[in-house]
């Protein structure tokens, strides 16, 4: 699995990335706080045109206000399949096998 190897490498090597060059946030912390998170990213990496892009992103977020994420119905066999193949991510990020996104 190509994606699996990418995550393996990230988990192996992320400690080698200087703190000032790395930003990671749990998905659960992003939801509902998108603009604040983008602002944190712009500030951390000192990206240019922060105010311009924040205004653009705020406009987009306003346009999708009320959006509800899809709820997937996944049978236990498929959950086991995903967990078996992606356990390294579940373990690394502290998600339980019965994670309910």
């Amino acid at each position: 699995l190509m994606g699996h190897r990418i995550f393996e490498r990230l988990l192996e090597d992320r400690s080698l990335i200087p703190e000032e060059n790395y930003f990671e946030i749990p998905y659960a912390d992003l939801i509902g706080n998108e603009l604040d998170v983008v602002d944190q990213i712009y500030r951390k990496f000192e990206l240019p045109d922060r105010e311009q892009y924040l205004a653009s992103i705020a406009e987009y977020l306003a346009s999708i206000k009320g959006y509800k994420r899809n709820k997937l119905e996944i049978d236990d066999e498929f959950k086991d399949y995903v967990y078996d193949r992606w356990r390294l991510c579940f373990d690394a990020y502290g998600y339980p096998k019965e994670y309910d996104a």
Side-chain angles (χ1 to χ4, degrees), residues 81-98:
Y81 174 85
V82 171
Y83 182 74
D84 288 344
R85 279 152 186 79
W86 290 98
R87 184 175 185 155
L88 78 152
C89 291
F90 280 77
D91 292 348
Y93 294 104
Y95 294 122
K97 181 179 181 182
E98 297 303 321

Side-chain angles (χ1 to χ4, degrees), residues 21-62:
N21 295 340
Y22 189 76
F23 186 88
E24 185 174 281
I25 184 165
Y27 180 70
D29 293 353
L30 172 67
I31 301 306
N33 300 305
E34 297 87 356
L35 197 58
D36 289 337
V37 170
V38 171
D39 187 38
Q40 289 174 35
I41 293 167
Y42 267 82
R43 288 177 186 275
K44 177 172 178 106
F45 297 116
E46 300 176 359
L47 299 173
D49 305 318
R50 185 178 123 265
E51 293 297 327
Q52 173 189 344
Y53 288 109
L54 289 177
S56 177
I57 292 166
E59 185 178 318
Y60 171 73
L61 291 172

